[in-house]
Amino acid sequence: MKKILMTGFEPFGGESSNPSWEAVSQLDQSLIAGSHRIIGLQLPCEFEASLSVLNEALNALQPEIVIAVGQAGGRCDLSVERVAINLIDARIADNAGAQPIDIPVVPGGPTAYFSSLPLKAIVQELQLQGVPASVSNTAGTYVCNHVFYALMHFASQHPGLRSAGFVHIPYMPEQAVRHPGQPSMSLSQVMLGLRLIAETAVAVRQDVRMSAGTTH
Amino acid sequence: MKKILMTGFEPFGGESSNPSWEAVSQLDQSLIAGSHRIIGLQLPCEFEASLSVLNEALNALQPEIVIAVGQAGGRCDLSVERVAINLIDARIADNAGAQPIDIPVVPGGPTAYFSSLPLKAIVQELQLQGVPASVSNTAGTYVCNHVFYALMHFASQHPGLRSAGFVHIPYMPEQAVRHPGQPSMSLSQVMLGLRLIAETAVAVRQDVRMSAGTTH
Amino acid sequence: MKKILMTGFEPFGGESSNPSWEAVSQLDQSLIAGSHRIIGLQLPCEFEASLSVLNEALNALQPEIVIAVGQAGGRCDLSVERVAINLIDARIADNAGAQPIDIPVVPGGPTAYFSSLPLKAIVQELQLQGVPASVSNTAGTYVCNHVFYALMHFASQHPGLRSAGFVHIPYMPEQAVRHPGQPSMSLSQVMLGLRLIAETAVAVRQDVRMSAGTTH
Amino acid sequence: MKKILMTGFEPFGGESSNPSWEAVSQLDQSLIAGSHRIIGLQLPCEFEASLSVLNEALNALQPEIVIAVGQAGGRCDLSVERVAINLIDARIADNAGAQPIDIPVVPGGPTAYFSSLPLKAIVQELQLQGVPASVSNTAGTYVCNHVFYALMHFASQHPGLRSAGFVHIPYMPEQAVRHPGQPSMSLSQVMLGLRLIAETAVAVRQDVRMSAGTTH
């Protein structure tokens, strides 16, 4: 059975839960397409520790596909990230108290990596199944982008890792209660979406050609 | 068994479904607090026909409580409306092709009516149960406000109608797919919310005192 | 020379300036249409004191037209308010420390008053001159709505007051610097807009018929 | 006299003007810091022609600094772009009718380039002078990002080009009139901002360390 490593984060920024881990933990051990099994992994919301936990799992599990997931409070859909940049610019301290500013994720690494997930096929499938989704062109400059970049850097050196990428998800409704005016998405919808992403990542080797860009 | 009349609308504005009727139709015949039964009613999204259907049901059913529900594409929570105004200013034509501008709902009627639902207790209960909710100070100037005003006008003349009001709800996820950047709420979350609103309307006779205003 | 009373507010909510008074103070004594003169008046951002200052000026000046102006941080255009409601629900304390919740502006007064400014003609003229503008259906439940309602209540009893209403304006750019993601409007643009509103209020006795409503 | 090449775009997307060229054309020939002169250049909003016009000017003028400017309808401040990506994904056709999807700007070029403008010093100075500003982590995937990437690619091969980057600006008020709910910025405010950006680019050789990131 091939493995899909799916990561979620612990809570941060004053939240008591993180929808990424809530969803991923429930998808742990799920069977995808009869051929793959999801392995759920919680990452600390810390610049340093997140990468050691991630790298240990990447080496130990040798997954074929990696889908990292993070909370994006304020977004209204599943945003499949297109590009990871080699830069940390922390707006708030991480859970270990560190707030690095304008330093690279990997010194000497390339400026950016593109996701190797079939982004357009994923968005197309999600929308077809009634799950709001879009391609995003920035994963920010915090721990999410940090993990995303490190993941793609690892992938660039391990051809056995067929495809990898990052997905940002909205607040859960119970979080949005404390953030008036912010959208939310139910956990079951997020779980359906993540499962569809995993299935599409398994099934599609050549992404479809579909406009999903932004003018700015 | 006392009756709670709950109304939803047929689709409008190019949509093929309306979350208000999707939710209300599934709550039809639900038992609330052991003492009340929800009667679901679909209203046409037409200025003229909506009121004849509503008034017929109000007279035939003699409900103790009326909760009218409508779709508010772009809102992210259940917004419990505070005030209905005696004005129609249609931005788009209704489903019968009518687009009245700057005419009253009830000629000679008061400028506005306040909802008689326990707004603050409702918002408090919804938030407690993890359902994003707020008090809204405008129901717009379209068919929703039209029905809301006519309902409150009826209530002002029928003391047996203990409390009445209007609730706006977000797009469903499958609608939001076609409205990029717009928030959504799952039907099950909306149904939970409407049920809690009905329960609170039954249970609370004196609204709680809680700030839920806006500076503008 | 007939008088147009134009009011602005002192700063509130932690701001060190208020664009409404910044603009109105500079328009003080301006001549409009050769027949009217603007009298600028600053109102305290206090529920109680605002009305005593307003009423004193209304009685002393006997203006033909009154345009009250207030800051609406987060809005992006000049919003001409349609309706004042007889309700205070303060989200934050006013500048005197009072935070009334769910009490009427005028006990026993009607639920609401419509503005008597030619709303549609004003929006049409502003847009024609390149000033973003819209009709708004809620002035909130704070001091702005409080003053707006009290003004319309006064107008309902003084037929000599030909027309009166309220306009909400965005942050100034220097305020928006401290509110990331919030729109702003330059003071000169606001001043041009307020002058056009005054001119239209003088010139138009019968409002134009133009759709400017909202579906919710 | 050293040169600052400042580019703006022709109108696109149904607009009859483009604030970037409106502002840049008026800054043409301005003297900056007593040592530099701004050379304004209009770029066609076409993937192909924009680069030939840009490259011709870069080679002919040999500017020390290049500041490319583009319209970002919907944004509320001057956003100084951090990163240009090697990807075109056109949501709409350009002015020549071309709509390339998922192709690189420069085949074989690096995935991305960071701006070499002193981003943080610029944002700090703009905010100090009352001009809303922020660092943005995506310039989109249309002609703006295309020009930005090509510019940084050129800069990477021409060390004489001391610093280069891209700035997105909001709609002008007269455009926002036709885009209800969208923020705007006056042309004079934009011109002040662009002048401050040029001055800061000249004065600051080592960017300041200041958090200006986003969590997602």
Side-chain angles (χ1 to χ4, degrees):
Chain A
M1 185 72 62
K2 292 175 180 167
K3 289 172 193 145
I4 299 173
L5 175 62
M6 194 177 277
T7 68
F9 283 102
E10 63 179 9
F12 72 98
E15 299 292 323
S16 59
S17 61
N18 187 315
S20 63
W21 179 241
E22 297 300 318
V24 168
S25 60
Q26 291 195 46
L27 291 172
D28 183 39
Q29 302 304 324
S30 297
L31 196 63
I32 297 292
S35 58
H36 290 68
R37 193 172 294 284
I38 291 177
I39 311 294
L41 173 72
Q42 193 191 48
L43 300 179
C45 190
E46 303 177 15
F47 285 100
E48 206 170 308
S50 59
L51 295 202
S52 50
V53 174
L54 175 67
N55 284 320
E56 188 178 10
L58 289 171
N59 286 310
L61 297 170
Q62 307 251 18
E64 197 200 33
I65 293 168
V66 184
I67 300 165
V69 187
Q71 164 191 307
R75 294 203 192 168
C76 62
D77 64 5
L78 298 192
S79 23
V80 194
E81 296 295 344
R82 173 137 43 188
V83 59
I85 62 175
N86 192 12
L87 185 103
I88 305 172
D89 184 1
R91 193 176 59 75
I92 55 175
D94 72 7
N95 284 358
Q99 191 182 2
I101 293 178
D102 289 350
I103 62 164
V105 177
V106 175
T111 302
Y113 286 107
F114 287 124
S115 172
S116 52
L117 293 173
L119 304 179
K120 306 297 181 75
I122 286 172
V123 168
Q124 198 174 51
E125 178 65 15
L126 288 170
Q127 293 182 341
L128 194 67
Q129 302 295 335
V131 183
S134 61
V135 172
S136 164
N137 296 305
T138 174
T141 59
Y142 196 55
V143 184
C144 287
N145 173 72
H146 177 68
V147 161
F148 182 18
Y149 184 90
L151 168 62
M152 301 317 298
H153 190 64
F154 180 95
S156 74
Q157 298 167 340
H158 295 77
L161 208 174
R162 183 180 134 204
S163 67
F166 197 97
V167 181
H168 264 122
I169 64 176
Y171 282 135
M172 288 179 291
E174 51 267 46
Q175 293 178 286
V177 159
R178 295 184 311 279
H179 298 281
Q182 300 295 323
S184 62
M185 190 179 278
S186 73
L187 203 55
S188 58
Q189 180 93 175
V190 170
M191 285 170 60
L192 166 63
L194 293 179
R195 183 180 282 276
L196 291 169
I197 291 171
E199 286 173 2
T200 309
V202 167
V204 176
R205 289 190 175 263
Q206 177 71 34
D207 200 2
V208 298
R209 189 177 169 281
M210 176 182 86
S211 165
T214 62
T215 52
H216 58 263
Chain B
M1 187 72 61
K2 292 172 180 169
K3 291 173 194 144
I4 299 174
L5 175 62
M6 192 176 278
T7 67
F9 282 101
E10 63 178 7
F12 72 99
E15 300 290 325
S16 59
S17 61
N18 187 315
S20 63
W21 179 242
E22 297 299 320
V24 168
S25 61
Q26 292 195 45
L27 291 171
D28 182 39
Q29 301 304 324
S30 297
L31 195 64
I32 297 292
S35 58
H36 289 67
R37 193 172 295 282
I38 290 177
I39 310 295
L41 174 71
Q42 192 190 49
L43 300 179
C45 190
E46 303 177 15
F47 286 101
E48 206 170 308
S50 59
L51 295 202
S52 50
V53 173
L54 174 68
N55 283 321
E56 188 179 8
L58 288 171
N59 286 310
L61 297 170
Q62 308 251 16
E64 197 201 32
I65 293 168
V66 184
I67 300 166
V69 187
Q71 164 191 307
R75 295 202 191 169
C76 61
D77 64 5
L78 299 191
S79 22
V80 193
E81 296 296 345
R82 173 138 42 189
V83 60
I85 62 175
N86 192 13
L87 186 102
I88 304 171
D89 184 1
R91 192 175 60 74
I92 54 176
D94 71 8
N95 285 358
Q99 190 181 4
I101 292 178
D102 290 349
I103 63 164
V105 177
V106 176
T111 303
Y113 287 107
F114 288 124
S115 171
S116 53
L117 293 173
L119 304 180
K120 306 296 180 77
I122 285 171
V123 168
Q124 197 174 52
E125 179 65 16
L126 288 170
Q127 293 184 338
L128 193 68
Q129 302 295 335
V131 183
S134 62
V135 172
S136 164
N137 296 304
T138 173
T141 59
Y142 196 54
V143 185
C144 287
N145 173 74
H146 178 69
V147 161
F148 182 18
Y149 183 91
L151 168 62
M152 300 316 299
H153 190 65
F154 180 94
S156 74
Q157 297 166 342
H158 295 77
L161 208 174
R162 184 181 134 202
S163 67
F166 198 97
V167 181
H168 264 122
I169 64 176
Y171 281 135
M172 289 179 288
E174 53 267 46
Q175 294 178 286
V177 159
R178 296 184 310 278
H179 297 281
Q182 300 297 321
S184 62
M185 189 177 280
S186 72
L187 203 56
S188 60
Q189 181 94 175
V190 170
M191 284 170 59
L192 166 63
L194 292 180
R195 182 181 284 277
L196 291 168
I197 291 171
E199 287 173 1
T200 308
V202 167
V204 176
R205 288 189 175 264
Q206 177 72 33
D207 200 2
V208 298
R209 190 177 167 282
M210 176 182 87
S211 165
T214 61
T215 52
H216 59 263
Chain C
M1 187 71 64
K2 291 174 180 168
K3 290 173 194 145
I4 299 174
L5 176 62
M6 194 178 276
T7 67
F9 283 101
E10 64 179 8
F12 72 98
E15 300 291 324
S16 59
S17 61
N18 187 315
S20 63
W21 179 240
E22 297 299 319
V24 169
S25 61
Q26 291 195 47
L27 290 172
D28 182 38
Q29 302 305 322
S30 296
L31 195 63
I32 297 292
S35 58
H36 289 67
R37 192 173 294 283
I38 291 176
I39 310 293
L41 174 71
Q42 193 191 48
L43 299 179
C45 190
E46 303 176 14
F47 285 100
E48 203 171 312
S50 59
L51 295 202
S52 50
V53 173
L54 174 68
N55 283 321
E56 188 178 10
L58 289 172
N59 286 311
L61 297 170
Q62 308 250 15
E64 197 201 32
I65 293 167
V66 184
I67 301 165
V69 187
Q71 165 191 306
R75 294 202 192 168
C76 62
D77 65 4
L78 299 190
S79 22
V80 193
E81 297 295 347
R82 174 138 40 189
V83 59
I85 62 175
N86 193 13
L87 185 103
I88 305 173
D89 184 0
R91 193 177 58 77
I92 55 175
D94 72 7
N95 285 358
Q99 190 182 2
I101 292 178
D102 289 350
I103 63 165
V105 177
V106 176
T111 303
Y113 286 108
F114 287 124
S115 172
S116 53
L117 293 174
L119 304 179
K120 306 296 181 76
I122 285 172
V123 167
Q124 197 175 53
E125 178 64 16
L126 288 170
Q127 293 183 339
L128 192 67
Q129 302 295 333
V131 182
S134 61
V135 172
S136 163
N137 296 306
T138 173
T141 58
Y142 196 55
V143 184
C144 287
N145 173 72
H146 177 68
V147 161
F148 182 18
Y149 184 90
L151 168 61
M152 300 316 297
H153 190 65
F154 180 95
S156 75
Q157 298 166 342
H158 294 78
L161 209 173
R162 185 181 132 201
S163 67
F166 197 97
V167 181
H168 264 123
I169 65 176
Y171 282 135
M172 290 179 288
E174 52 266 46
Q175 294 178 286
V177 159
R178 295 185 309 279
H179 298 281
Q182 299 297 322
S184 62
M185 190 178 280
S186 72
L187 203 55
S188 59
Q189 181 94 175
V190 171
M191 285 169 59
L192 166 62
L194 293 179
R195 183 182 283 277
L196 290 170
I197 291 171
E199 286 173 1
T200 309
V202 167
V204 175
R205 287 190 176 263
Q206 177 71 32
D207 200 1
V208 298
R209 190 178 168 281
M210 178 183 86
S211 166
T214 61
T215 51
H216 58 261
Chain D
M1 185 71 62
K2 291 173 180 168
K3 289 173 194 145
I4 299 173
L5 176 61
M6 192 176 277
T7 68
F9 283 102
E10 63 179 10
F12 72 99
E15 299 290 325
S16 59
S17 61
N18 187 315
S20 63
W21 179 241
E22 296 300 317
V24 168
S25 60
Q26 291 195 46
L27 290 171
D28 182 39
Q29 302 304 324
S30 297
L31 195 64
I32 297 292
S35 59
H36 290 66
R37 193 173 294 283
I38 291 177
I39 310 293
L41 174 72
Q42 193 191 48
L43 300 179
C45 190
E46 303 176 14
F47 285 100
E48 204 170 309
S50 59
L51 295 203
S52 50
V53 173
L54 175 68
N55 283 320
E56 188 179 10
L58 288 171
N59 286 311
L61 297 170
Q62 308 250 17
E64 196 199 33
I65 293 168
V66 184
I67 299 166
V69 187
Q71 164 191 308
R75 295 204 191 168
C76 62
D77 65 5
L78 298 192
S79 23
V80 194
E81 296 295 344
R82 174 138 42 188
V83 60
I85 62 174
N86 193 11
L87 185 102
I88 304 172
D89 185 0
R91 192 175 60 75
I92 54 175
D94 71 8
N95 285 358
Q99 190 182 2
I101 292 177
D102 289 350
I103 63 164
V105 178
V106 176
T111 303
Y113 286 108
F114 287 125
S115 171
S116 53
L117 292 174
L119 304 180
K120 306 295 181 77
I122 285 171
V123 168
Q124 198 174 52
E125 178 64 15
L126 288 170
Q127 292 183 339
L128 193 67
Q129 302 295 334
V131 183
S134 61
V135 172
S136 164
N137 296 305
T138 174
T141 58
Y142 196 55
V143 184
C144 286
N145 173 73
H146 178 68
V147 160
F148 182 18
Y149 183 91
L151 168 62
M152 300 316 298
H153 190 63
F154 180 96
S156 75
Q157 298 167 340
H158 295 77
L161 208 174
R162 186 180 133 202
S163 66
F166 197 97
V167 181
H168 264 123
I169 66 176
Y171 282 135
M172 290 180 289
E174 51 267 46
Q175 293 178 287
V177 158
R178 295 184 309 279
H179 298 282
Q182 299 296 322
S184 62
M185 190 178 279
S186 72
L187 203 56
S188 59
Q189 182 92 174
V190 170
M191 286 170 58
L192 167 62
L194 293 179
R195 183 182 282 278
L196 291 168
I197 291 171
E199 287 173 1
T200 307
V202 167
V204 175
R205 287 189 176 264
Q206 177 72 33
D207 200 1
V208 298
R209 189 176 168 282
M210 178 182 87
S211 165
T214 61
T215 51
H216 58 263

